[in-house]
Amino acid sequence: MAEVAFGGKAGKISLEEVGLRFEVDGEIATITLDRPGRRNAQTFATWSALAQIGDTLPQQVRVVVIRGEGPSFSAGIDLRMFTPEGVPGQGSFASSATLDDSTFEQRIAQAQQGFLWLRRPEIVSVAAVQGHAIGAGFQLALACDVRVLADDAKLCMKEPALGLVPDLTGTKPLVDLVGLSRAVEICLTARTVGAEEAARVGLAELVVAPQDLAGAVADLAAALLATNRDAATATKRLLQGASGRTLEEQCAAERREQVVRVKSLFAGS
Ligand code: ACO
């Protein structure tokens, strides 16, 4: 497996210092949250580095796997953000609170960029989740197209319990997946959703034993790569647009995509 050098720095911090690993093996890229001693807690530098990985993703990549090292996928935002000292070099919520609204919103928008690229039609993103996925960890899993859970997975949208809202792109996919009522109940109780329930309510496509997680994700990646690349991109684009279109509009979108597919496959044959 080729280790790909991170093409630059996240601010002045290297990927390793941020606690991320990024590896590319052919058409599969794997991003590993790699601070197991802190349960893969995330910081602004994590999100900035994720955005840079998205910006510089090699063109051949079709599947992006996000996984966590150690017992937890991710325990969410680094709790040092809640202290007056904050995270060294990255400030704290107290320092963010001194920013004017527009600058602060801009900072959140930058963080959201670390998550949004995972929805690109050209790739399929897969979260491989074991143990805790709390707050930003849950939202990172929600940012992916598909979630494969170990049966010890515990999902929790903790933000409201801490006086915050989930703001790392997670609220829309959560509502899309489980519906408004269930999303309200999950978020406003900040309760833990186990793997079995996650599969039942649509938060997981697959649940496996922890020792089978890597193998299940590898099998899924292989199955995804077996389809025609351009057809996969066009189909994902169609599916993503479906909820915002009427049936007639969706049928028209299907026709447009199919004309392109058939011409590309059969024109001149
Ligand atoms: N930020 C910083 N450090 C963390 C975090 C975090 N979010 N989560 C865990 N750690 C650290 C702990 O302080 C501990 O460090 P230490 O060994 O120096 O004492 C180490 O990781 C291991 O944590 P434990 O609590 O001992 O691990 P355990 O496996 O028993 O529990 C759990 C894991 C349940 C995830 C627990 O650590 C926890 O509740 N963490 C906080 C979760 C949280 O509230 N996150 C914020 C969500 S809101 C948001 O993301 C916006």
Side-chain angles (χ1 to χ4, degrees), residues 37-39 41 72 75-80 132 134-137 158-159 162 164:
R38 282 197 181 271
R39 298 298 181 264
S72 299
I77 196 168
D78 194 313
L79 292 176
R80 288 176 298 174
H132 289 95
I134 304 178
K158 184 88 174 281
E159 286 84 344
L162 299 173
L164 302 173

Side-chain angles (χ1 to χ4, degrees), residues 91-223:
S92 63
F93 280 124
S95 59
S96 296
T98 66
L99 299 172
D100 66 77
D101 291 4
S102 141
T103 307
F104 194 3
E105 280 192 34
Q106 187 53 42
R107 199 155 186 237
I108 297 171
Q110 280 167 3
Q112 290 169 335
Q113 291 304 314
F115 295 67
L116 287 173
W117 66 271
L118 293 161
R119 294 285 182 200
R120 268 184 217 155
E122 297 78 19
I123 59 169
V124 179
S125 49
V126 180
V129 180
Q130 81 288 358
H132 289 95
I134 304 178
F138 188 12
Q139 294 193 71
L140 185 55
L142 284 167
C144 292
D145 295 312
V146 178
R147 282 150 294 283
V148 181
L149 267 50
D151 60 20
D152 68 347
K154 297 174 193 67
L155 314 176
C156 172
M157 201 66 94
K158 184 88 174 281
E159 286 84 344
L162 299 173
L164 302 173
V165 299
D167 66 345
L168 294 166
T169 78
T171 55
K172 181 161 174 55
L174 182 64
V175 171
D176 287 348
L177 289 168
V178 304
L180 176 59
S181 301
R182 177 68 67 200
V184 167
E185 183 263 324
I186 287 173
C187 291
L188 273 59
T189 62
R191 73 175 173 89
T192 297
V193 178
E196 182 275 323
E197 182 187 356
R200 191 160 33 84
V201 301
L203 286 169
E205 279 57 57
L206 193 60
V207 176
V208 298
Q211 66 273 18
D212 296 334
L213 185 59
V217 169
D219 288 349
L220 172 62

